[in-house]
């Protein structure tokens, strides 16, 4: 069996093409001038330039974290270009004005930015290298008072909101990669759902790294006011390149009283080749704050790409009765390394959190779950349920689980369950005896394993995620 | 239907089957009996193509084709079904999803149209009546949390859905109480037709009170040492396998 599985896990990456488009890229290197140039190119107000500079000065004093269970070559931060944008970027009034080559790229990726998307009810903001290219359905959303636009645009159009919330969940000095992002972030998405509004469609951002030698440092900020609801989807791809590319994003979510934010990611950055050459280094800080009472923040992630993944989408449960959820499927294959998990910080009373993590390791992949559940002194009657399951395919991969649990009051309860299993020869044989071939059998077994997470994804995304999981593990590229 | 000629097979270098010869025609039920470790289950697994077993000699012709050259799923497409002694659990995959996937693969291989979910469910519910299974099993994960009897019933349900030409039942009676045994046997009997054949692998005669075989074979130490009618099974039940061994010693 091992032979067949070895063959099956040799995957190909179908988003590995590059787009030939003229870009406005600043030379590699990082110093205060570069930070100022980025800020100036984006015509930012002074307070934001200062904020970036403070972050940069702090970053210079910080050290890259070495505690993750990850193996990667030292990153040379001076060899990266911190800004790249398709040339002649102007503000578009309609999609007709967007460069057709760009639209073609997104079509290849399976995202139609055109009004066809109306049918599926997904509004898309597409970020190409450093800048946001187009946001669909802006008008429809505006009628409801919903703001969904690129981060740069939000800085121009809604500076007060940005100023109020930027860095309120992930401060610029939070960690090494968050500080770097705060200094050089180029674009991203901004989303604001006013009081009492239920966002009528899924909001979606599609991130694409195209240019070589560039990093992508996007920043997403989502605010749901009292009683508001939004479901947000994020997808990512990158071309196949021999060198590693850095992606260091920051996502901040804020939920006020009775608000709910659901954030789903299907991450499919290029993972490098079989021998571990190339691929994206993904160092991402994602955090949500349940600021209000009865608020809820839910992270669902399907991680199949990236050479290196360092990512812990977390929830600060500040409001009483607030709820935090984390559902994750992380797949590593070939030489991929993932160190991912979550933090649930219980501060308010009667707060509840759920963690379901499914790690799948194949090839020589190394998969680590790292999680923290912290229940504070005043977070009385709080509850956490954690389930960490690992599945191994083949004999050369590994799975690790590092759960940290800190409870500082006596009325709360924490449950933790963990399991490790191996796809059995007998399971595959059983499927084959019923007429199902090995590829489909593995895909079925894996999808069964990850089902609890998939059922939390919006329907359209769940189908995509299932397919992606199949592709990542089976080499049966369509 | 199937012709097994001088079949030798081993596992981890140890020879288990030492020259099996067996012919089963359409419409027949053959029982294979024998003491523990005689190679009964190995025969069943080898016919289904389990990768842990190596065929070292011999051939198996199934409906004119060389069975041993086929991948296990191709054998399934051709109409070979194995009811497992130990049915495997597949967490998170519903019984209906699993069976529908299998059935549609088989239909595709025959150039038949795939069934959609509605058609499949309707058919599945009908078939579940044959083994008196509760409809709640449709959405339960494959064999997960099933009792021993439920697992065996589920095997017969799968057989009813997949409608094989040759069904091999490997110790389907083990772990069944008498009621479950009756249900499972009556399921097998209902599915019997002049067009298909069944090989029943069993340790005990009691299953053969319900599934009446045309031929009974006794397997000892990797070889079929005696074949006969239903009466042979009764003889075994009365005298144990020792009398066969004695007969063998005498003839040797």
């Amino acid at each position: 069996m091992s032979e067949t599985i070895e063959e099956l896990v040799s995957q190909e990456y179908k988003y590995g093409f590059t787009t030939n488009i003229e870009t406005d890229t600043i030379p590699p290197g990082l110093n205060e001038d570069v930070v100022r140039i980025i800020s100036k190119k984006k015509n930012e107000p002074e307070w934001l330039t200062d904020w970036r500079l403070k972050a940069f000065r702090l970053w210079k004093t910080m050290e890259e974290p070495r505690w993750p269970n990850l193996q990667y070559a030292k990153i040379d931060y001076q060899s990266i270009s911190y800004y790249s944008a398709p040339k002649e970027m102007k503000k578009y009034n309609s999609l007709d004005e967007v460069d057709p080559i760009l639209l073609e790229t997104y079509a290849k990726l399976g995202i139609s930015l055109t009004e066809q998307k109306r049918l599926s009810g997904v509004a898309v903001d597409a970020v190409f290298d450093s800048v946001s290219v187009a946001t669909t359905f802006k008008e429809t959303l505006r009628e409801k008072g919903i703001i969904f636009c690129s981060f740069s645009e939000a800085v121009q159009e809604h500076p007060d909101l940005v100023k109020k919330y930027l860095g309120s969940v992930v401060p610029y000095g939070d960690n090494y990669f968050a500080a770097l992002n705060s200094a050089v972030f180029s674009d991203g998405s901004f989303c604001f759902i006013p009081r009492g509004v239920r966002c009528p469609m899924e909001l979606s951002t599609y991130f694409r790294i195209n240019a070589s030698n560039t990093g992508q440092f996007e920043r997403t900020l989502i605010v749901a006011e009292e009683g508001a609801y939004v479901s947000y989807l994020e997808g990512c791809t990158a071309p196949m390149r021999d060198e590693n590319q850095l992606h260091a994003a920051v996502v901040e979510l804020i939920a006020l009283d009775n608000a709910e934010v659901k954030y789903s990611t299907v991450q499919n950055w290029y993972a490098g080749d079989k021998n571990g050459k190339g691929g994206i280094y993904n160092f991402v800080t994602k955090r949500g704050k349940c600021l209000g009472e009865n608020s809820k923040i839910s992270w669902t992630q399907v991680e199949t790409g990236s050479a290196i993944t360092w990512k812990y989408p977390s929830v600060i449960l500040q409001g009483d009765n607030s709820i935090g959820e984390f559902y994750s499927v992380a797949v590593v294959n070939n030489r991929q390394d993932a160190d991912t998990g979550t933090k649930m910080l219980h501060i308010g009373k009667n707060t509840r959190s759920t963690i379901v993590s499914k790690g799948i390791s194949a090839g020589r992949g190394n998969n680590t779950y790292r999680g923290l559940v912290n229940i504070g002194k005043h977070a009385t009657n709080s509850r956490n349920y954690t389930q960490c399951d690992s599945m191994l395919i083949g004999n050369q991969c590994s799975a690790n689980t590092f759960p940290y649990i800190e409870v500082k009051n006596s009325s709360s309860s924490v449950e933790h369950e963990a399991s490790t299993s191996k796809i059995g020869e007998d399971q595959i044989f059983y499927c084959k005896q019923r007429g199902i071939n090995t590829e489909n059998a593995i895909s079925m077994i894996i999808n069964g394993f990850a089902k609890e997470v998939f059922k939390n994804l919006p329907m359209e995304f769940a189908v995509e995620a299932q397919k992606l999981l199949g592709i990542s593990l089976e080499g049966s590229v369509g | 239907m199937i012709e097994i000629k001088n079949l030798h097979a081993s596992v981890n270098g140890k020879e288990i089957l030492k020259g099996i010869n067996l012919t089963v025609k359409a419409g027949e039920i053959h029982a294979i009996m024998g003491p523990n470790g005689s190679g009964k289950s190995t025969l069943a697994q080898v016919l289904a193509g389990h990768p842990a077993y190596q065929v070292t000699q011999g051939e198996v012709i199934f409906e004119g084709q060389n069975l041993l050259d086929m991948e296990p799923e191709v054998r399934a497409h051709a109409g070979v079904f194995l009811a497992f002694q130990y049915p495997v659990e597949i967490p998170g995959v519903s019984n209906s999803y699993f069976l529908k996937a299998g059935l549609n693969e088989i239909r595709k291989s025959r150039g038949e149209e795939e069934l959609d979910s509605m058609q499949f469910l309707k058919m599945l519910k009908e078939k579940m009546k044959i083994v008196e299974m509760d409809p709640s099993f449709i959405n339960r994960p494959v064999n997960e949390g099933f009792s021993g009897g439920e697992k065996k019933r589920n095997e017969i349900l799968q057989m009813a859905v997949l409608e094989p030409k040759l069904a091999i039942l490997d110790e389907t009676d083990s772990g069944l109480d008498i009621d479950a045994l009756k249900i499972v046997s009556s399921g097998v009997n209902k599915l019997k037709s002049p067009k298909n054949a069944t090989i029943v692998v069993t340790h005990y005669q009691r299953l053969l009170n319900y599934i009446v075989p045309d031929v009974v074979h006794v397997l000892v130490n990797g070889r079929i040492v005696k074949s006969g009618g239903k009466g042979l099974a009764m003889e075994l039940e009365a005298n144990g396998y020792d009398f066969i061994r004695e007969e063998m010693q005498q003839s040797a």
Side-chain angles (χ1 to χ4, degrees):
Chain A
M1 174 193 76
S2 52
E3 236 174 304
T4 356
I5 288 186
E6 293 289 304
E7 284 164 28
L8 289 174
V9 294
S10 55
Q11 68 176 90
E12 279 173 53
Y13 185 71
K14 71 170 173 178
Y15 303 106
F17 59 87
T18 50
T19 306
N20 289 322
I21 193 162
E22 271 194 87
T23 54
D24 170 15
T25 305
I26 61 172
L30 183 54
N31 52 46
E32 286 202 10
D33 288 341
V34 169
V35 175
R36 282 199 184 88
I37 291 168
I38 294 169
S39 191
K40 193 165 177 226
K41 275 186 186 286
K42 306 188 89 65
N43 192 27
E44 286 175 351
E46 206 181 318
W47 67 264
L48 192 49
T49 313
D50 289 345
W51 194 79
R52 285 176 179 274
L53 287 169
K54 273 191 280 184
F56 177 71
R57 285 167 199 149
L58 191 61
W59 177 75
K60 280 200 300 185
T61 69
M62 297 169 91
E63 272 186 41
E64 201 174 316
R66 282 288 161 197
W67 48 263
N69 186 16
L70 300 169
Q71 306 288 329
Y72 59 93
K74 204 168 160 46
I75 301 168
D76 179 2
Y77 292 92
Q78 295 303 330
S79 70
I80 297 169
S81 166
Y82 288 84
Y83 184 86
S84 171
K87 227 171 193 168
E88 311 258 325
M89 280 297 295
K90 286 185 195 118
K91 281 193 71 178
Y92 301 115
N93 292 316
S94 88
L95 281 176
D96 302 338
E97 299 169 25
V98 176
D99 191 326
I101 297 173
L102 266 180
L103 292 182
E104 204 179 289
T105 300
Y106 283 111
K108 264 198 220 174
L109 295 169
I111 27 167
S112 152
L113 294 177
T114 62
E115 291 292 306
Q116 285 169 12
K117 268 289 169 187
R118 185 189 289 276
L119 295 171
S120 54
V122 179
V124 180
D125 182 25
V127 178
F128 190 85
D129 285 340
S130 295
V131 291
S132 180
V133 178
T135 309
T136 55
F137 291 123
K138 210 175 282 183
E139 284 310 314
T140 321
L141 295 168
R142 192 171 288 164
E143 285 165 20
K144 295 233 167 206
I146 295 168
I147 303 167
F148 179 44
C149 62
S150 73
F151 202 93
S152 315
E153 198 179 328
V155 170
Q156 304 302 321
E157 308 285 329
H158 312 280
D160 294 345
L161 282 175
V162 173
K163 196 172 178 182
K164 182 172 176 188
Y165 291 109
L166 177 71
S168 70
V169 185
V170 180
Y172 61 77
D174 186 78
N175 65 67
Y176 187 80
F177 295 105
L180 177 64
N181 174 286
S182 301
V184 301
F185 73 88
S186 30
D187 213 333
S189 296
F190 176 78
C191 172
F192 177 82
I193 319 291
R195 184 184 297 243
V197 171
R198 205 182 154 83
C199 186
M201 56 179 76
E202 312 274 355
L203 301 183
S204 174
T205 299
Y206 210 91
F207 293 107
R208 172 85 181 161
I209 298 179
N210 187 61
S212 58
N213 294 319
T214 54
Q216 183 156 329
F217 305 93
E218 81 272 356
R219 200 149 181 125
T220 302
L221 178 54
I222 300 175
V223 181
E225 279 199 332
E226 291 83 351
Y229 168 85
V230 63
S231 169
Y232 188 91
L233 319 174
E234 175 199 84
C236 340
T237 60
M240 289 158 77
R241 293 188 188 281
D242 283 347
E243 77 271 22
N244 298 107
Q245 286 178 281
L246 179 63
H247 174 250
V250 172
V251 176
E252 295 178 281
L253 314 180
I254 293 132
L256 302 185
D257 287 355
N258 303 305
E260 180 177 350
V261 180
K262 190 174 160 55
Y263 194 103
S264 311
T265 306
V266 172
Q267 186 267 107
N268 184 24
W269 295 119
Y270 178 50
D273 70 7
K274 266 183 219 165
N275 303 316
K277 195 166 188 190
I280 303 291
Y281 287 172
N282 195 27
F283 293 91
V284 175
T285 306
K286 289 185 165 176
R287 196 175 301 155
K289 195 186 246 181
C290 285
L291 200 57
E293 290 181 12
N294 308 313
S295 55
K296 179 175 175 181
I297 288 178
S298 180
W299 298 101
T300 305
Q301 59 170 16
V302 177
E303 303 275 308
T304 65
S306 297
I308 298 290
T309 301
W310 179 92
K311 183 177 169 188
Y312 315 91
S314 306
V315 183
I316 300 168
L317 297 147
Q318 190 167 322
D320 290 349
N321 313 314
S322 57
I323 297 172
E325 293 175 336
F326 174 75
Y327 300 99
S328 168
V329 174
V331 182
V332 292
N333 191 4
N334 298 322
R335 298 274 183 166
Q336 278 175 273
D337 256 2
D339 193 312
T340 181
T342 184
K343 285 190 277 188
M344 292 291 173
L345 306 170
H346 294 251
I347 296 167
K349 294 181 181 62
N350 309 316
T351 46
R352 279 176 289 155
S353 62
T354 303
I355 298 169
V356 177
S357 162
K358 303 275 182 177
I360 299 162
S361 314
R364 293 175 172 223
N366 177 25
N367 210 336
T368 298
Y369 169 81
R370 188 185 301 276
L372 169 67
V373 176
N374 182 310
I375 299 189
K377 204 161 63 179
H378 303 291
T380 48
N381 297 312
S382 293
R383 292 204 306 270
N384 163 264
Y385 171 75
T386 300
Q387 185 189 337
C388 293
D389 297 323
S390 306
M391 182 175 264
L392 304 173
I393 304 174
N395 298 321
Q396 290 178 298
C397 55
S398 65
N400 311 281
T401 305
F402 300 117
Y404 299 82
I405 299 169
E406 293 165 13
V407 182
K408 299 187 181 102
N409 70 59
S410 56
S411 60
S412 296
S413 71
V414 173
E415 277 180 77
H416 183 97
E417 286 180 26
S419 77
T420 303
S421 57
K422 212 174 157 185
I423 281 204
E425 188 174 322
D426 283 337
Q427 278 178 323
I428 292 171
F429 178 61
Y430 191 64
C431 294
K432 288 177 77 142
Q433 214 304 302
R434 299 303 185 247
I436 301 160
N437 68 28
T438 309
E439 282 194 12
N440 291 338
I442 290 182
S443 169
M444 186 184 279
I445 295 164
I446 295 282
N447 279 302
F449 174 72
K451 194 180 187 178
E452 277 168 278
V453 173
F454 285 158
K455 73 181 183 201
N456 289 294
L457 286 172
M459 185 62 118
E460 200 191 26
F461 237 33
V463 174
E464 193 184 321
Q466 285 191 15
K467 278 193 213 143
L468 189 58
L469 212 58
I471 290 164
S472 297
L473 289 166
E474 290 172 17
S476 63
V477 182
Chain B
M1 174 82 57
I2 190 166
E3 201 180 351
I4 303 169
K5 291 182 204 160
N6 190 31
L7 182 65
H8 290 248
S10 54
V11 62
N12 298 327
K14 185 170 184 267
E15 188 167 62
I16 310 282
L17 300 183
K18 300 170 181 171
I20 301 275
N21 291 290
L22 176 66
T23 303
V24 179
K25 297 197 182 72
E28 291 181 345
I29 296 181
H30 286 231
I32 297 187
M33 302 186 67
N36 290 331
S38 57
K40 300 187 302 291
S41 284
T42 299
L43 177 61
Q45 298 278 351
V46 167
L47 292 179
H50 195 290
Y53 300 89
Q54 295 88 42
V55 173
T56 50
Q57 247 191 82
E59 63 173 353
V60 179
I61 305 298
F62 176 73
E63 299 266 276
Q65 287 175 284
N66 185 350
L67 191 72
L68 301 176
D69 282 351
M70 297 151 97
E71 279 288 308
E73 67 268 30
V74 180
R75 299 182 197 198
H77 298 165
V80 175
F81 178 89
L82 172 64
F84 283 62
Q85 181 178 5
Y86 304 109
V88 179
E89 298 181 3
I90 309 178
V93 178
S94 77
N95 232 355
S96 65
Y97 183 85
F98 176 69
L99 254 182
K100 181 169 163 256
L103 178 67
N104 278 336
E105 287 298 325
I106 290 171
R107 291 180 69 97
K108 247 194 320 201
S109 76
R110 293 183 191 151
E112 294 167 7
E113 218 169 291
E114 295 182 40
L115 294 187
D116 64 32
S117 298
M118 296 301 286
Q119 292 167 320
F120 176 77
L121 267 182
K122 199 173 159 219
M123 187 269 276
L124 183 62
K125 282 180 181 161
E126 284 304 310
K127 303 281 185 181
M128 286 178 93
K129 288 180 191 159
I130 296 176
V131 284
E132 300 179 25
M133 261 175 111
D134 190 90
S136 67
F137 282 88
I138 291 175
N139 293 317
R140 282 178 57 181
V142 180
N143 292 323
E144 200 187 31
F146 286 28
S147 71
E150 286 165 349
K151 282 183 183 174
K152 294 298 174 74
R153 255 193 256 186
N154 200 28
E155 292 293 290
I156 304 305
L157 170 68
Q158 297 186 21
M159 175 176 141
V161 169
L162 301 180
E163 296 179 331
K165 287 183 187 151
L166 175 67
I168 305 159
L169 311 183
D170 187 6
E171 304 272 7
T172 297
D173 52 333
S174 69
L176 289 186
D177 61 31
I178 195 76
D179 292 336
L181 185 66
K182 281 182 188 164
I183 292 168
V184 165
S185 324
S186 94
V188 172
N189 289 328
K190 280 178 198 160
L191 297 170
K192 192 188 166 182
S193 89
K195 284 185 187 160
N196 60 30
T198 310
I199 296 176
V200 182
V201 173
T202 182
H203 193 73
Y204 297 107
Q205 188 268 342
R206 67 170 190 165
L207 177 66
L208 304 180
N209 290 333
Y210 302 99
I211 302 173
V212 180
D214 298 294
V215 190
V216 176
H217 307 275
V218 181
L219 189 64
V220 177
N221 197 17
R223 289 191 189 90
I224 290 176
V225 295
K226 202 171 166 81
S227 302
K230 184 177 161 23
L232 180 57
M234 311 292 272
E235 222 174 311
L236 285 171
E237 183 77 358
N239 305 323
Y241 290 104
D242 286 346
F243 93 96
I244 299 268
R245 290 200 184 97
E246 280 162 26
E247 270 187 21
M248 282 166 68
Q249 275 162 9
Q250 280 164 16
S251 63

